[in-house]
Amino acid sequence: MLGRTAASLFWMSRFQERAQNSAKLLEVAYRTDMMPSNRSKDAGDWRFALIASGSEFGYSEKIGELTPRGVINYMVFDRDNPSSVRVCLENARNNGRAVRTGITAELWESLNTTYLEFSDVNPLSITQDKLPEFLSWISQRSHLFRGALLNTLLRDDGYYFSQLGNFVERADNTARILDTQYWVLLPDNDVIGDGSLERQQWSGILRALSGLRSYRFAYPDAKLKAANIAEFLILRKEMPRSLAYCCDWIDDTADDLAQFYGERLPSLDMAAANWTAMRATTIEDVYRRGLHDFLLDFISKNNSFAMQLSEDYNFA
């Protein structure tokens, strides 16, 4: 496979995953802002969405004052924001179009239709009361893309590069969300009342990663606890947005890629090393090292793997 083809498939999945992640962050900000307990209206939840998506600096440079309307426009429609939903959907479509003959009709249709329907939306029509329905539509279209990819794409190198793009992006998003509010996940926050600010923040983190309900299944007899949430989103492999789940998928896919090409390049060994280290880690190890330091190191290793993969397979 040509390097530019591999790159297009990798980034097609990364951008589609990023679009959904941005939508989920905005959904959490909106829901929290609407809660009766959040009458102070200090815009902190909207700032969380900007920081977790890596958009805070660009927003402050272009817009300045932090308002819900400004954050919504910047994270959904602004072409100057490389993580906005508009830019992500456009880039995902462009990468898919570059390899149009190498993907299925169903996969291309999901990309193309989503972009065209999104392009018809007037930003002024998405008022705050209509925002939840619109964000839900974005998430549903991302699920449609994933379903088309998983159910129709041939299991060859193109599929493997697509999967690597998806889980590299997902792992990065989970780690950044956790790091953005890492201090509320420290064990000292576990003795706390049900109406606390920390509990609200815990719920927001879980919602941003589609994990609030599944947390209840994983810890059926436990209330929300900082240590449990950190363990759930970092080390529990059955949680599909946890760091462990992403590392496992990346390692398995790297093995498939090595078998397909008949050689193991350095990036594939990096994937194996990352998963081996994650598998041997306990939540006590994470806290002993420092949650913030652990997450920063994970983000760095995840980025290094993506860069090495790009070099190994000559991404254009």
Side-chain angles (χ1 to χ4, degrees):
M1 176 176 285
L2 293 174
R4 63 175 176 270
T5 301
S8 291
L9 291 164
F10 179 85
W11 282 104
M12 174 187 71
S13 285
R14 281 203 74 165
F15 280 120
Q16 191 68 40
E17 176 75 14
R18 191 176 298 176
Q20 182 182 19
N21 294 339
S22 293
K24 289 296 295 183
L25 286 168
L26 284 172
E27 178 194 344
V28 170
Y30 173 83
R31 290 174 66 110
T32 307
D33 194 43
M34 292 296 104
M35 291 179 66
S37 59
N38 191 40
R39 295 299 92 188
S40 63
K41 299 296 183 182
D42 63 355
D45 300 297
W46 299 101
R47 182 177 290 106
F48 165 71
L50 287 171
I51 296 172
S53 65
S55 303
E56 184 186 30
F57 178 78
Y59 181 90
S60 63
E61 287 289 300
K62 180 173 182 177
I63 299 174
E65 182 183 2
L66 190 63
T67 65
R69 182 74 258 171
V71 174
I72 293 167
N73 282 337
Y74 190 71
M75 288 189 62
V76 178
F77 297 106
D78 201 316
R79 290 188 180 278
D80 293 331
N81 177 11
S83 294
S84 73
V85 174
R86 178 189 295 278
V87 170
C88 289
L89 293 180
E90 183 174 0
N91 285 339
R93 176 180 180 260
N94 288 343
N95 279 285
R97 184 169 56 187
V99 291
R100 177 68 186 85
T101 57
I103 60 176
T104 62
E106 293 85 355
L107 188 55
W108 168 246
E109 186 66 21
S110 72
L111 285 167
N112 192 45
T113 302
T114 299
Y115 173 74
L116 293 176
E117 291 182 4
F118 182 93
S119 299
D120 286 338
V121 175
N122 182 351
L124 295 178
S125 70
I126 307 301
T127 54
Q128 274 193 257
D129 61 314
K130 294 182 179 179
L131 182 64
E133 182 180 356
F134 183 58
L135 296 177
S136 177
W137 175 82
I138 293 169
S139 291
Q140 289 169 8
R141 299 302 299 186
S142 294
H143 291 313
L144 179 64
F145 167 84
R146 285 292 293 164
L149 188 152
L150 293 173
N151 289 312
T152 69
L153 207 59
L154 190 68
R155 266 42 176 183
D156 60 5
D157 47 351
Y159 171 80
Y160 302 142
F161 284 117
S162 296
Q163 286 288 74
L164 289 172
N166 181 83
F167 286 106
V168 164
E169 183 65 30
R170 183 176 296 185
D172 182 78
N173 178 66
T174 296
R176 289 183 186 280
I177 286 175
L178 292 173
D179 191 54
T180 298
Q181 293 192 329
Y182 75 90
W183 56 88
V184 304
L185 295 173
L186 299 178
D188 291 346
N189 291 300
D190 272 336
V191 182
I192 197 161
D194 282 350
S196 68
L197 173 62
E198 285 82 358
R199 183 180 178 83
Q200 179 177 305
Q201 291 170 321
W202 292 339
S203 296
I205 291 170
L206 287 168
R207 287 186 189 279
L209 296 169
S210 304
L212 185 58
R213 181 168 296 184
S214 56
Y215 173 89
R216 301 293 187 186
F217 287 108
Y219 301 90
D221 299 321
K223 295 181 179 181
L224 292 180
K225 294 179 63 178
N228 285 351
I229 294 170
E231 180 185 55
F232 183 59
L233 296 175
I234 295 173
L235 300 175
R236 293 290 291 267
K237 200 175 74 168
E238 64 269 40
M239 167 43 175
R241 291 188 175 273
S242 73
L243 301 186
Y245 184 91
C246 294
C247 284
D248 188 22
W249 260 96
I250 290 171
D251 180 48
D252 283 347
T253 306
D255 286 342
D256 291 334
L257 199 58
Q259 185 175 358
F260 186 88
Y261 285 128
E263 62 177 345
R264 288 195 69 89
L265 297 179
S267 58
L268 308 187
D269 290 332
M270 290 174 66
N274 289 344
W275 171 230
T276 298
M278 180 66 70
R279 188 170 48 190
T281 300
T282 66
I283 195 61
E284 290 78 16
D285 294 332
V286 172
Y287 283 129
R288 194 177 301 115
R289 178 176 179 180
L291 179 58
H292 179 56
D293 290 340
F294 174 87
L295 293 169
L296 288 180
D297 183 60
F298 179 89
I299 292 169
S300 176
K301 288 180 178 177
N302 191 52
N303 288 338
S304 295
F305 164 74
M307 293 174 63
Q308 188 63 50
L309 185 77
S310 173
E311 181 178 333
D312 288 347
Y313 293 97
N314 302 309
F315 285 9

